[in-house]
Amino acid sequence: MESKKSKILIIGVTGRLGFELAKASLNSFHPTFGLVRDSAFSDPHKSQKLHTLSDSGVTLIKGSLQDEDILIEALKQVDVVICAVSSKQVPEQKLLISAIKRVGCIKRFLPSEFGSDPERSQVSDLDHNFYSRKSEIRRIIEAEGIPHTYVCCNFFTSFFLPSLVQPGLKSPPRDEVTIFSDGTAKGVFVKESDVAAFAINTVDDARTLNKVLYLRPPGNVYSMNELVGIWEGKIGKTLKKIYITEDELLKKIRETPYPENMELVFIYSAFVKGDHTYFKIESSGGLEGTQLYPQITYTTISESLDTLL
Amino acid sequence: MESKKSKILIIGVTGRLGFELAKASLNSFHPTFGLVRDSAFSDPHKSQKLHTLSDSGVTLIKGSLQDEDILIEALKQVDVVICAVSSKQVPEQKLLISAIKRVGCIKRFLPSEFGSDPERSQVSDLDHNFYSRKSEIRRIIEAEGIPHTYVCCNFFTSFFLPSLVQPGLKSPPRDEVTIFSDGTAKGVFVKESDVAAFAINTVDDARTLNKVLYLRPPGNVYSMNELVGIWEGKIGKTLKKIYITEDELLKKIRETPYPENMELVFIYSAFVKGDHTYFKIESSGGLEGTQLYPQITYTTISESLDTLL
């Protein structure tokens, strides 16, 4: 399906996902470029990551999403752009999109999404425009006719699984566990490095052009009841269940200040409203990653929980 | 947005929609080709249409969806393929798709859809695979990575509007009218020539690549109650309303033999289940035609009803 490996520019390589994207890009033999802000080189943690990437063969370009001239120069050198900036920076992709439109050579753009589908969120106005900001970027990309793929990976395993979806905890509970609503809505967890591997596979794949790539790996789609059951099996103990109703959770979300309440909003979205899984992928112009790329081995929830024992 | 006009091959040019597509293609200055079965030339009605098209500048190629060699030769001459065969022939597009894959030069394929969205149909098993056959074709196109646009125009005005959605009637009712369920679900009607104009506009438009084009022209989206109201206004008379419940309609569908019952299935889908309009277009990877192409003037339902007075 592919003739030669596209050159990939990754924006946000010092971030958790961006770093994995850069490594996955190199692992797949793509000439790999990273756009890095000046300030990152003086941050000890970030500069260490940049050394690692540079030593591995990533070409680092100094610049930010605000430098139009630098963006244009960087874009001229590549075929594909993957943006992995934080959710706060989502609106800052607008100048990048107009630069992509201007250079005209970009064959695929993956904007900063990498969560649940913003068009399928059912949290009404609770999310402080977290999802509408992503939708707005989609509309601009589509209006400009820029070739794109949206990656909806749902939850990163590292974000919610270590606490078994218990707000405030750092490790899974061993005595009692809170279950939201009736605990039957199914959520999806995928490890960042696996998300990166799936994302990199899409860039030269005609099947994913202008489509949404959803990740629902069979070993990673579970309800709270199932998650707790798996964990109970691993620790050989039955936990006390505390049930929080939808109304109680909504009350808590409204009483907790923003942005601290966003963790609860994400839990509400995934494990009460079922936003990761309630819809058929085909009806969203989408494709499922493990079905498209069965050769990618991914870390299952059970394997991730084993590391927390 | 476009540099030069794509060459378009239309399959099914003697059909009602295919004929309009060929005319719309010529009107937009696309070099236009038609694939025509031998038998069409000896059918008086079809041969007249073929003369009209040929005189207008359409290059007619003799062949059918079963002739792989002819398909390959025809495809090599064009950039775009629009298939407008009947719903019965939907599965026969498979050889065409594999030929498109083989030649590798087709920049856009519009398969035979031109109805409501097969992925959004909520008629369960009543449709004798009418929708699943179209979905299957979508999956093959997507699996092969063939650049495509799906056109979901909903109802053709000529099909249901002349009877005001009254099965068995040839003209709108003037005494009593049947309303299905509570009459509030909104359906969409678009004239074939308008559907053709929208479809032709998509072929060189990067925004519609691998997307669904939905038609919901503001003047053409109405519930049964609204339709009847507009008609009553035009004839200056209030009609007697007969209400048929969802259960009664379902019973009638089951009692009427296939394929005669399909008219009722389409009514059930549009005016009971609301399949034309119940979903947000964005969440289906879709775009709305009148928003993309505001310059296209279309015939409204009110204008169409005026011709029936």
Side-chain angles (χ1 to χ4, degrees):
Chain A
M1 187 149 292
E2 18 195 303
S3 42
K4 62 173 186 106
K5 291 285 179 176
S6 289
K7 295 191 275 279
I8 303 180
L9 172 66
I10 295 162
I11 297 169
V13 283
T14 58
R16 204 194 275 258
L17 177 66
F19 187 67
E20 296 298 338
L21 284 164
K23 289 196 292 180
S25 175
L26 288 172
N27 285 344
S28 294
F29 310 106
H30 290 279
T32 305
F33 299 73
L35 186 77
V36 185
R37 280 177 292 188
D38 256 343
S39 59
F41 291 93
S42 49
D43 172 310
H45 182 61
K46 287 180 181 167
S47 78
Q48 200 191 336
K49 279 183 166 178
L50 292 172
H51 276 294
T52 305
L53 293 176
S54 179
D55 289 350
S56 316
V58 174
T59 304
L60 300 178
I61 300 168
K62 279 190 192 175
S64 82
L65 286 175
Q66 277 72 46
D67 306 326
E68 187 165 20
D69 294 345
I70 291 170
L71 286 177
I72 298 266
E73 282 316 302
L75 293 173
K76 282 181 182 165
Q77 302 178 57
V78 300
D79 311 297
V80 168
V81 180
I82 307 179
C83 196
V85 298
S86 71
S87 64
K88 280 195 299 283
Q89 289 179 280
V90 161
E92 296 174 29
Q93 296 176 100
K94 288 174 194 171
L95 188 64
L96 173 66
I97 295 169
S98 83
I100 289 173
K101 179 73 181 172
R102 238 175 89 188
V103 299
C105 64
I106 299 302
K107 295 186 310 189
R108 196 74 64 95
F109 175 45
L110 278 59
S112 190
E113 287 237 349
F114 305 108
S116 60
D117 188 342
E119 322 274 10
R120 295 309 188 123
S121 159
Q122 301 176 116
V123 299
S124 61
D125 62 344
L126 295 172
D127 69 328
H128 291 261
N129 296 318
F130 181 88
Y131 294 112
S132 64
R133 287 197 300 269
K134 292 185 177 182
S135 292
E136 188 197 357
I137 293 296
R138 286 192 179 187
R139 295 299 89 76
I140 298 172
I141 292 168
E142 291 156 8
E144 297 289 10
I146 293 171
H148 57 269
T149 300
Y150 306 134
V151 177
C152 292
C153 55
N154 298 303
F155 282 159
F156 292 129
T157 301
S158 66
F159 196 58
F160 277 115
L161 199 68
S163 71
L164 212 72
V165 200
Q166 303 296 300
L169 291 195
K170 299 249 180 263
S171 57
R174 291 177 182 265
D175 295 308
E176 58 179 41
V177 63
T178 301
I179 291 182
F180 309 94
S181 188
D182 67 354
T184 59
K186 288 181 196 260
V188 181
F189 301 84
V190 190
K191 217 177 151 180
E192 277 95 338
S193 53
D194 295 334
V195 172
F198 284 106
I200 294 297
N201 264 266
T202 67
V203 304
D204 286 329
D205 186 346
R207 297 174 297 176
T208 58
L209 177 60
N210 293 0
K211 297 285 181 192
V212 186
L213 184 85
Y214 292 96
L215 296 184
R216 291 188 193 168
N220 295 30
V221 182
Y222 289 115
S223 68
M224 275 302 293
N225 291 336
E226 290 167 336
L227 271 183
V228 170
I230 296 169
W231 179 242
E232 287 176 334
K234 288 187 189 294
I235 61 174
K237 184 181 169 187
T238 302
L239 302 181
K240 186 183 166 205
K241 316 290 184 301
I242 298 160
Y243 288 89
I244 287 195
T245 66
E246 178 168 352
D247 283 348
E248 286 165 345
L249 181 58
L250 285 171
K251 189 161 172 280
K252 216 169 205 170
I253 288 172
R254 295 211 172 85
E255 286 170 358
T256 308
Y258 174 80
E260 287 71 36
N261 65 353
M262 285 303 288
E263 186 180 4
L264 297 172
V265 173
F266 294 133
I267 290 173
Y268 173 70
S269 170
F271 289 108
V272 177
K273 302 299 283 183
D275 286 348
H276 293 186
T277 53
Y278 77 87
F279 56 93
K280 270 173 51 185
I281 286 176
E282 291 74 19
S283 66
S284 295
L287 302 154
E288 203 285 314
T290 61
Q291 285 180 26
L292 275 192
Y293 311 115
Q295 76 281 8
I296 297 180
T297 53
Y298 60 87
T299 306
T300 63
I301 283 184
S302 176
E303 289 163 353
S304 296
L305 287 175
D306 285 342
T307 68
L308 302 168
L309 280 170
Chain B
M1 186 150 292
E2 18 194 304
S3 43
K4 61 176 186 100
K5 291 284 180 177
S6 289
K7 295 190 276 279
I8 302 180
L9 171 66
I10 296 161
I11 297 169
V13 282
T14 59
R16 203 196 277 257
L17 177 66
F19 187 66
E20 297 297 338
L21 283 164
K23 288 196 293 179
S25 174
L26 288 173
N27 285 344
S28 294
F29 310 105
H30 291 279
T32 304
F33 299 72
L35 187 77
V36 185
R37 281 177 291 190
D38 255 343
S39 58
F41 291 92
S42 49
D43 172 310
H45 181 61
K46 287 180 182 167
S47 78
Q48 200 191 335
K49 280 184 166 180
L50 291 172
H51 275 294
T52 304
L53 292 176
S54 179
D55 289 350
S56 316
V58 174
T59 306
L60 300 177
I61 300 167
K62 279 190 192 176
S64 81
L65 286 174
Q66 278 71 49
D67 306 325
E68 187 164 21
D69 293 345
I70 291 170
L71 285 177
I72 298 266
E73 281 316 302
L75 292 173
K76 282 182 184 165
Q77 302 177 57
V78 299
D79 311 296
V80 169
V81 180
I82 306 179
C83 196
V85 298
S86 71
S87 64
K88 280 196 300 283
Q89 288 179 280
V90 161
E92 296 174 29
Q93 296 175 100
K94 288 175 194 170
L95 188 64
L96 173 65
I97 295 169
S98 82
I100 289 173
K101 178 76 181 170
R102 238 176 89 187
V103 298
C105 64
I106 299 302
K107 295 186 309 190
R108 197 73 65 95
F109 175 46
L110 278 59
S112 191
E113 287 238 348
F114 305 107
S116 60
D117 188 342
E119 323 273 9
R120 295 308 189 121
S121 158
Q122 303 177 115
V123 299
S124 61
D125 62 345
L126 295 172
D127 69 328
H128 292 262
N129 296 319
F130 181 88
Y131 294 112
S132 64
R133 287 197 300 269
K134 292 186 177 182
S135 292
E136 187 197 358
I137 292 296
R138 285 192 179 188
R139 296 296 91 75
I140 298 171
I141 291 168
E142 291 156 8
E144 296 289 9
I146 292 171
H148 57 270
T149 300
Y150 306 134
V151 177
C152 292
C153 55
N154 299 302
F155 281 160
F156 291 129
T157 301
S158 66
F159 197 58
F160 278 113
L161 198 68
S163 70
L164 213 71
V165 199
Q166 304 296 301
L169 291 196
K170 300 250 179 264
S171 57
R174 291 178 181 264
D175 295 310
E176 58 179 42
V177 63
T178 301
I179 291 182
F180 309 95
S181 188
D182 67 354
T184 59
K186 287 180 195 262
V188 181
F189 301 84
V190 191
K191 217 176 149 179
E192 277 95 340
S193 53
D194 295 334
V195 172
F198 285 105
I200 294 299
N201 265 266
T202 68
V203 304
D204 285 329
D205 185 345
R207 297 174 299 176
T208 58
L209 177 60
N210 293 359
K211 298 283 179 192
V212 186
L213 183 85
Y214 293 96
L215 296 184
R216 291 189 193 168
N220 295 30
V221 182
Y222 289 115
S223 68
M224 275 303 291
N225 291 337
E226 291 167 336
L227 271 183
V228 170
I230 296 169
W231 179 242
E232 287 176 333
K234 288 186 189 294
I235 62 173
K237 184 183 170 186
T238 301
L239 302 180
K240 186 183 166 202
K241 318 289 185 301
I242 298 159
Y243 288 88
I244 287 195
T245 67
E246 177 167 353
D247 282 349
E248 287 165 344
L249 180 58
L250 286 171
K251 187 159 174 280
K252 214 168 204 172
I253 288 171
R254 294 211 171 84
E255 285 170 0
T256 308
Y258 175 81
E260 286 72 35
N261 66 352
M262 285 303 287
E263 187 181 3
L264 297 172
V265 172
F266 294 134
I267 291 173
Y268 173 70
S269 169
F271 290 107
V272 177
K273 303 300 282 183
D275 286 348
H276 293 185
T277 53
Y278 76 87
F279 56 91
K280 269 173 50 185
I281 287 177
E282 292 74 21
S283 65
S284 295
L287 301 154
E288 202 284 317
T290 61
Q291 286 180 25
L292 275 192
Y293 310 115
Q295 77 280 10
I296 298 180
T297 53
Y298 60 88
T299 305
T300 64
I301 284 184
S302 174
E303 289 163 351
S304 297
L305 287 175
D306 285 342
T307 68
L308 302 167
L309 280 171

